[in-house]
Amino acid sequence: MVGMRRDLSRRQLFGLGAGASAALLAACASPTAPTGQSHTTFQPTLNAPDDLEMPDVTVGFVPITCYSPIVNAAALNIYHQYGLNVTLRRYTGWAELWTAFVAGELDATQFLAPMPIAIHHGFASGQRDIRLPFVTNTNGNGITVSQRLADKVNGPEDFAGLRLGLPFDYSVHNLLSRDYLVSGGLDPDVDVDLRIMRPADLVSALAVDQIDAFCLPDQFNQRAVAEDIGYIHLLTKDLWDQHPCCSFAVAEDFASSYPNTYTALLRAIGDSALYIDNPDHRAQTATLMSQPAYLGLPEPVLTAVLTGNFADGTGAEHAIPDRIGFQPYPHASYGVWMLDALQRWDLTGGQAFTTAQQYSTATSAVFDSQAATSVLTDLGGMTQERTQETVLGATFDPQHPAQRSRQL
């Protein structure tokens, strides 16, 4: 097996000290994002639950396409139709969002998919019990390389010596990129300069030659193409089709204290997610998400991502409708794969998982498949568990997770 991640300190994880983190948090957390008004009349699929215990809910997010179901529920007035008054609180980086959630400033939040597992089990600085009922998107990411390296990076082996930007240690971007580099015979911690940076900073870093490539949500890949800064080397769906990216997570104390409110949140976000997943609604969603209160990006960039009709920066045009998907069921296989990868790269804070039962127990402690099934069945979403995953051409069996680690 290629070398494990070395000496991950709290400062390395979060990229700043406690005082700087607090100051940056204050700067990044914008006032309430407006719910906005839409010219589309959305008809909710389900009724609001009776007797909402706490209709006022604060939800955190980082402005990327992956969070579209959370914010689209505000843009289309879906929260209100389910009896909720949701305050959306915007952050520019994952460390800031992690800190705010652990500090109890948020009831629920968008997270990168591995983050709830890490926070619940105390893998890094700060712990809070948490439920993950939904993934907010599948696929929707890519690896973009600087135009300076056009025709020089054709496979994973060509990343030797390059500077690769990543959004967070506890991200599928980091974990999947590492598998990709390993497939080219590289040790990610020795042969490649991996740089954790806030997502909003990585496109400009690519433009001014601070990094050579990045793995990020597709809005950033498409923006680099639109600005002629980089080209899309690959979509992460080519490495692992239907992989999770971001998630919707709710504090355990909030969900258990206010079960009807929790159900209302899941109905609203589930309804929003399945609405966006419909190809007929992708272009309209791009228009809504382009508003300054949400992503504030040019509408053509978001349309290219959400419809899957895009240029890749090499002169080629593509039509890939499932470039990003929004079926929100939290498959256990997702959690087991992420947990195995986190352990492989020494990101479990010294905790060890060896048996399939240990992996399953740790995952099920976080993934709330029961609540997801209850809501998504009524909404008409997919709820059948995936029995295996195919990652870089290899089968991952969640009943035998250690086999994957031995293959790498």
Side-chain angles (χ1 to χ4, degrees), residues 309-368:
N309 298 316
F310 65 98
D312 67 5
T314 70
E317 299 280 342
H318 300 272
I320 304 177
D322 61 345
R323 179 179 181 176
I324 187 170
F326 297 99
Q327 285 287 338
Y329 185 79
H331 296 278
S333 55
Y334 292 165
V336 175
W337 184 93
M338 290 187 292
L339 185 58
D340 180 60
L342 291 171
Q343 179 167 251
R344 186 163 63 251
W345 299 109
D346 197 23
L347 288 166
T348 58
Q351 297 182 45
F353 303 88
T354 56
T355 68
Q357 184 59 52
Q358 288 174 329
Y359 279 96
S360 177
T361 299
T363 298
S364 61
V366 180
F367 280 33
D368 194 352

Side-chain angles (χ1 to χ4, degrees), residues 19 83 130 163 170 176 206 224 239 243 280 290-291 315 320 325 332 404:
I130 192 170
R163 300 161 297 176
Y170 292 93
L176 199 51
L206 191 70
L239 303 179
H243 71 80
D280 293 340
S290 68
Q291 296 177 26
I320 304 177
R404 174 64 174 161

Side-chain angles (χ1 to χ4, degrees), residues 5 94 112 141-146 148-149 159 161-178 180-181 188 192-207 209-217 220-221 224 233-234 236:
R5 184 164 180 81
W94 299 106
L112 295 165
N141 302 273
I143 296 177
T144 289
V145 177
S146 171
R148 295 177 292 98
L149 297 174
F159 282 81
L162 298 187
R163 300 161 297 176
L164 177 64
L166 298 165
F168 203 52
D169 284 286
Y170 292 93
S171 68
V172 171
H173 311 80
N174 177 37
L175 303 177
L176 199 51
S177 291
R178 286 171 172 273
Y180 180 58
L181 296 171
V192 184
D193 183 358
L194 301 180
R195 299 191 177 186
I196 303 297
M197 301 175 66
R198 292 186 303 170
D201 296 336
L202 280 163
V203 175
S204 59
L206 191 70
D209 194 24
Q210 290 180 350
I211 58 173
D212 302 301
F214 58 63
C215 181
L216 283 176
F220 299 105
N221 299 289
H233 170 63
L234 57 80
T236 51

Side-chain angles (χ1 to χ4, degrees), residues 53-131:
E53 308 92 348
M54 179 61 69
D56 297 333
V57 185
T58 302
V59 179
F61 73 93
V62 170
I64 55 178
T65 46
C66 311
Y67 84 122
S68 296
I70 296 172
V71 175
N72 200 55
L76 291 177
N77 209 36
I78 299 173
Y79 290 124
H80 283 290
Q81 295 186 73
Y82 279 99
L84 298 167
N85 179 28
V86 170
T87 296
L88 297 177
R89 189 169 294 173
R90 176 176 179 147
Y91 299 84
T92 61
W94 299 106
E96 301 94 316
L97 187 58
W98 178 307
T99 301
F101 180 81
V102 169
E105 297 173 14
L106 301 169
D107 304 311
T109 187
Q110 169 207 15
F111 270 146
L112 295 165
M115 290 173 68
I117 294 175
I119 290 173
H120 183 89
H121 293 294
F123 290 166
S125 180
Q127 189 279 337
R128 189 180 183 190
D129 288 349
I130 192 170
R131 296 187 193 182

